[in-house]
Amino acid sequence: MRLPAFLSLLVLALQEAEAASLPMERKQREAETTAERGLPAMLPLGDYNYSEVLDLGNYEELTDYEDHQPPEGRMSSPAPPTQVSPAQSTKVPRTLSANPTTPRPATMSFPTSPEPGLPTCLVCVCLGSSVYCDDADLESIPRLPRMTTYLYARFNRISYVRAQDFEGLTKLKRIDLSGNTISSIEHDALSGLPTLQDLLLPENQLAALPVLPGGIEVLDVRLNRLQSSGIQPGAFKALGKLQFLYLADNLLDSIPGPLPLSLRTLHLQNNMITAVQADAFCTAAGEQGHTRRPLEDIRLDGNPVNLSLFPDAYFCLPRLPTGRFT
């Protein structure tokens, strides 16, 4: 009975030895395989005792962060990462100045004198069909849009008006060129403007008037150098819609006539008028029963004329002219 028992014990011992050797061989083979592949050997996590690595209950062994405070002036915590787009990653970083200043807004400069082909609305201000070129240091009338209805080009240095300046502007109703240095207007410069109603030319240097379109209602040529010889005979007679005629402060030596029946206001003060023609206001002496009622405002003050010497010239007027009667 002893021999079989011994054999049984021997078999059990061999089986246990073989079973113990298998994990070691398996681990060795895995380590060799990992080394051949160039991968780091994995830690046998199952053999670690986490309580020996770090005892979280023992706070005295933790690092004292008060001994490692950053120097003054530095940030105690890192700044959060900034997301940079691919488009921004290629930009060169700019160096900020020590004393940054707020940049001034860019100002847009406009040329003061339009060049040929330059759109007028880059030089002047265009609002709808109105063009404003006041005080823009212009030396000539700019090229205007076809739809221009009102033109204001006051207080510039325009000295000459050409025929092509208003060519094709069939909708133009008002031209205001006050306060320039205009000494000449080409003869036909305004004749092609069928809708023109207001022509304002005060404070210039005009000695003569061009051909005027028949639709004008207001004509202002005050403070010029206009002479009687510079007004064509019958120039105002053809203006059947003219209501306001301002010719004060010029060099006129006579009342320009004949005047249209539509006229309401005539200002001739501060000229060189010495006499009043019998037909200056009334057509003929035989029409004494006709009263020219629209013409109620006539100013002749500031002229070297004694209006009391010409009583026959006023019989058709609803009111006497303003001026010297002694």
Side-chain angles (χ1 to χ4, degrees):
M1 292 297 294
R2 292 181 179 178
L3 182 60
F6 176 79
L7 292 175
S8 300
L9 293 175
L10 181 61
V11 171
L12 292 174
L14 291 175
Q15 291 178 352
E16 292 178 358
E18 184 179 359
S21 64
L22 286 175
M24 297 298 297
E25 293 177 358
R26 184 181 300 174
K27 293 180 180 179
Q28 186 176 1
R29 287 197 302 268
E30 291 178 357
E32 291 176 357
T33 303
T34 303
E36 291 175 0
R37 294 180 181 180
L39 301 175
M42 296 182 64
L43 294 176
L45 299 179
D47 297 338
Y48 272 84
N49 187 357
Y50 293 101
S51 62
E52 295 179 358
V53 177
L54 180 60
D55 185 6
L56 298 178
N58 189 4
Y59 290 97
E60 295 180 356
E61 295 180 1
L62 296 178
T63 304
D64 187 4
Y65 289 102
E66 295 180 358
D67 297 336
H68 299 280
Q69 292 294 335
E72 294 182 2
R74 298 182 182 177
M75 297 180 62
S76 60
S77 60
T82 304
Q83 295 182 357
V84 181
S85 63
Q88 294 176 341
S89 61
T90 59
K91 294 184 180 180
V92 180
R94 296 186 300 175
T95 303
L96 298 178
S97 60
N99 298 320
T101 57
T102 302
R104 295 181 178 180
T107 57
M108 186 177 295
S109 58
F110 298 100
T112 56
S113 182
E115 299 178 0
L118 185 65
T120 300
C121 294
L122 293 181
V123 182
C124 307
V125 176
C126 298
L127 296 176
S129 60
S130 299
V131 179
Y132 299 89
C133 302
D134 292 348
D135 199 14
D137 202 26
L138 299 177
E139 296 182 357
S140 61
I141 296 176
R143 184 178 299 175
L144 300 173
R146 292 287 183 179
M147 301 302 293
T148 301
T149 304
Y150 302 96
L151 169 64
Y152 300 89
R154 300 168 291 192
F155 313 113
N156 287 285
R157 295 187 294 139
I158 302 173
S159 59
Y160 189 73
V161 177
R162 304 164 300 175
Q164 60 265 33
D165 289 338
F166 301 112
E167 186 176 1
L169 301 179
T170 57
K171 298 183 180 296
L172 195 58
K173 293 182 179 180
R174 169 174 287 193
I175 298 175
D176 192 345
L177 298 174
S178 306
N180 282 275
T181 59
I182 300 174
S183 59
S184 178
I185 300 177
E186 287 190 6
H187 187 67
D188 295 330
L190 305 174
S191 60
L193 303 177
T195 59
L196 186 62
Q197 298 176 355
D198 302 338
L199 179 59
L200 310 179
L201 300 169
E203 299 184 55
N204 280 281
Q205 301 177 12
L206 286 171
L209 293 178
V211 176
L212 300 173
I216 286 184
E217 298 178 6
V218 180
L219 178 60
D220 189 350
V221 201
R222 293 173 294 118
L223 295 165
N224 276 267
R225 300 178 180 178
L226 190 60
Q227 302 179 11
S228 296
S229 59
I231 301 176
Q232 298 294 326
F236 298 137
K237 179 69 173 180
L239 306 181
K241 297 182 179 180
L242 184 61
Q243 299 184 40
F244 304 93
L245 179 58
Y246 302 103
L247 300 173
D249 298 284
N250 278 282
L251 303 175
L252 300 175
D253 56 13
S254 63
I255 298 175
L259 299 172
L261 297 177
S262 58
L263 195 62
R264 298 172 55 187
T265 298
L266 175 63
H267 285 186
L268 292 165
Q269 63 267 35
N270 302 323
N271 276 279
M272 303 173 60
I273 300 174
T274 58
V276 179
Q277 302 91 329
D279 59 348
F281 306 115
C282 305
T283 56
E287 300 178 359
Q288 295 183 4
H290 173 69
T291 303
R292 192 169 182 172
R293 294 189 180 277
L295 188 55
E296 296 183 349
D297 182 15
I298 300 176
R299 292 192 57 178
L300 287 166
D301 48 308
N303 285 276
V305 59
N306 186 352
L307 296 179
S308 61
L309 301 178
F310 309 95
D312 294 338
Y314 319 125
F315 68 87
C316 66
L317 300 178
R319 297 181 182 178
L320 291 177
T322 301
R324 183 168 65 91
F325 284 90
T326 58

